[in-house]
Amino acid sequence: MLSFAPLACLAFINSRSSYSNRKMTQCLAAVSRDALASLPSLKSSDGSILTLDDISGNLKGKRVALYFAAGWCPVCTSFEPSLLQFREAAASSGKEVEIIYVPSDRSESDSVKRTMAMEMMSVPIGEEADAMKRRFKIWAGVESSKLGTGRRSGVPALVVLDSDKG
């Protein structure tokens, strides 16, 4: 079973509001070694498993957020251009953000296509992604038969990790 440390902020995404972007900016914090240890295994945007050293190198000096979404979800896909613009603007201002995709896609190949297009690391689809969804109580409505009805949010949702504990 995976364990996770407390969060600094949970930002639910509303693609019609600039409030989400302001709140996301206020909540971001740099990742520490303890926060890194709280993450499950991760894949690169091409689908290959990353080592702890690779992950550490990718996250060094960056703020970290988990992006819960699915390619079949129109709200997710319409929000993503704004999310990617935010990531680019943050990088331009010297406050880089690493967004880690937690997929609710229907297949591994769908997940890899999305992470390649968005240039994001991802949690492997299946048990590890499901464990993250259960921990943060965020999953797509179509996953309720597998994950239950006790969710606090559907997709898309963004969880900004605490800088010290993950």
Side-chain angles (χ1 to χ4, degrees), residues 93-134:
S93 70
K95 297 177 181 176
E96 288 188 88
V97 178
E98 188 68 42
I99 301 169
I100 299 170
Y101 183 58
V102 182
S104 287
D105 294 308
R106 294 186 175 118
S107 70
E108 181 69 27
S109 64
D110 289 345
S111 179
V112 170
K113 285 178 196 170
R114 293 186 41 68
T115 57
M116 286 179 76
M118 295 187 291
E119 299 178 358
M120 289 181 187
M121 290 188 288
S122 67
V123 175
I125 202 165
E127 283 185 33
E128 288 186 276
D130 290 349
M132 300 275 297
K133 294 171 195 175
R134 284 185 183 102

Side-chain angles (χ1 to χ4, degrees), residues 1-12 35 38-40 64-68 100 102 123 128-139 147 150-154 157-162 165-166:
M1 184 98 184
L2 300 171
S3 63
F4 300 93
L7 298 175
C9 180
L10 179 61
F12 295 105
S38 76
L39 295 172
V64 178
L66 303 173
Y67 177 49
F68 294 80
I100 299 170
V102 182
V123 175
E128 288 186 276
D130 290 349
M132 300 275 297
K133 294 171 195 175
R134 284 185 183 102
R135 167 62 179 100
F136 295 108
K137 299 181 181 177
I138 300 169
W139 55 84
L147 299 172
R151 67 184 184 157
R152 81 173 84 173
S153 177
L158 193 70
V159 175
V160 181
L161 299 180
D162 179 276
K165 299 178 184 168

Side-chain angles (χ1 to χ4, degrees), residues 13 21 24 67 76-92 97-101 114-121 158:
I13 298 169
N21 286 340
M24 193 169 15
Y67 177 49
C76 300
T77 57
S78 66
F79 172 74
E80 285 160 8
S82 297
L83 180 63
L84 297 176
Q85 280 181 327
F86 169 80
R87 183 178 66 184
E88 301 241 346
S92 295
V97 178
E98 188 68 42
I99 301 169
I100 299 170
Y101 183 58
R114 293 186 41 68
T115 57
M116 286 179 76
M118 295 187 291
E119 299 178 358
M120 289 181 187
M121 290 188 288
L158 193 70

